[in-house]
Amino acid sequence: MKTRGSFSPGKFQSLPPAAQIKALDKLAASLERILSAGEPASELTAHLGECVAWMAGPIPDNVLRLSQDLATAATPRAALLAIARFKSSLGQSFKDTQFPLKQTDGPRFAGLKSLERAGHVILILDNLRSAFNVGSIFRSAECLGLGAIWLCGVTATPSDPALVKTARGTAARVDWRQFEETPEAVREAKAKGYQVYALETSPQAGSVFTEDFQLPLALVLGNESLGISDEVLALCDRTICLPVQGWKNSLNVAVACAACAYQIVFGTPSGQ
């Protein structure tokens, strides 16, 4: 049986060089889908190699490398990386969700102390615009076992497909609530006994690495461009920051959240 989308020598050689590259790109995409699904791909791999052999010289270096890498790939992972290199050489960018999940997710044997600490931490997101950042925060929160995420204002919820993609299977595994306004969430957290920390770049902010965090705590994360609103900052008990030593004065909000949350759960204040 012919491979779906396969070419005869005459048909492939009749294509102009640019169209041949596009044809190889389509075959590589089909091969990627098959490999990602865990299905046998030897027939399509061999056919892609045949197409390269039918090309008139000089054959582009990226095409030669694709053919050689696929011919010597000992594992599906190696073949997928070969396809990724080829697509990158064509100027195509990749999203994290285009790669298959490594199938080792599942329960971990974590320390009772760190699990207990994490369960007493909630995140309050103050009008985060990017659903991708929020999805990344869900992933970090699930990895740590944090208590909950409170989504405020325009912050995306797990009904957003972009959030779900970036969360990589964790969106349904983290408790979350939605609030119309961030001050409402902060006031409720304080009423429940949480110490509220604002993660913000400020001359008055203390380093997360020297802070003696008091549990239970709520960590407020602000809008990517505007930061945390003045009204919310005034409600917080403490303002903390991640020290930077370069030209840029702050990290991406999802990266900053992960760094700070890991310090809260696992870290010891420097000097202690």
Side-chain angles (χ1 to χ4, degrees):
M1 180 181 296
K2 291 183 68 178
T3 302
R4 184 187 302 177
S6 61
F7 296 87
S8 66
K11 180 179 178 181
F12 188 83
Q13 291 173 332
S14 69
L15 299 173
Q20 289 180 342
I21 299 295
K22 286 185 178 180
L24 291 175
D25 184 25
K26 289 183 178 179
L27 289 173
S30 296
L31 179 59
E32 182 181 37
R33 287 192 294 272
I34 292 173
L35 290 168
S36 297
E39 298 174 3
S42 57
E43 181 182 352
L44 185 53
T45 301
H47 181 60
L48 199 151
E50 288 176 336
C51 290
V52 174
W54 295 334
M55 295 177 72
I59 299 175
D61 290 341
N62 61 338
V63 173
L64 282 174
R65 180 168 185 181
L66 172 66
S67 178
Q68 292 165 358
D69 287 349
L70 288 177
T72 58
T75 63
R77 175 183 171 83
L80 285 167
L81 288 174
I83 295 169
R85 278 192 292 269
F86 176 65
K87 288 181 173 293
S88 295
S89 74
L90 299 179
Q92 299 177 20
S93 60
F94 283 81
K95 298 176 181 178
D96 192 43
T97 50
Q98 288 179 261
F99 291 93
L101 277 171
K102 187 177 180 181
Q103 298 300 319
T104 55
D105 295 329
R108 299 289 184 272
F109 293 96
L112 293 178
K113 184 177 179 180
S114 62
L115 276 175
E116 183 179 7
R117 284 187 65 84
H120 287 91
V121 177
I122 64 172
L123 304 176
I124 299 177
L125 309 189
D126 179 22
N127 290 288
L128 268 60
R129 300 171 305 162
S130 168
F132 295 106
N133 279 336
V134 179
S136 180
I137 289 170
F138 265 81
R139 185 173 180 177
S140 296
E142 198 281 330
C143 284
L144 276 169
L146 300 188
I149 301 178
W150 291 3
L151 310 170
C152 306
V154 301
T155 304
T157 72
S159 63
D160 190 311
L163 185 158
V164 173
K165 286 182 180 180
T166 315
R168 303 289 275 170
T170 63
R173 294 178 174 271
V174 179
D175 289 338
W176 62 275
R177 288 180 58 188
Q178 188 174 25
F179 292 80
E180 283 291 326
E181 301 290 344
T182 309
E184 176 191 357
V186 173
R187 291 190 183 99
E188 179 166 333
K190 296 186 75 170
K192 291 183 175 181
Y194 287 87
Q195 287 286 307
V196 182
Y197 293 80
L199 183 60
E200 184 62 283
T201 55
S202 167
Q204 292 77 38
S207 168
V208 302
F209 300 110
T210 58
E211 186 70 28
D212 184 14
F213 290 104
Q214 302 299 306
L215 300 176
L217 75 79
L219 180 65
V220 181
L221 301 154
N223 179 284
E224 296 91 331
S225 297
L226 304 175
I228 299 171
S229 70
D230 290 340
E231 180 183 4
V232 171
L233 284 174
L235 291 171
C236 294
D237 298 303
R238 293 277 291 162
T239 302
I240 53 175
C241 70
L242 282 162
V244 294
Q245 300 181 143
W247 169 77
K248 192 67 178 174
N249 81 327
S250 65
L251 293 165
N252 167 274
V253 64
V255 175
C257 173
C260 185
Y262 266 84
Q263 176 64 17
I264 292 169
V265 174
F266 291 108
T268 300
S270 57
Q272 293 189 16

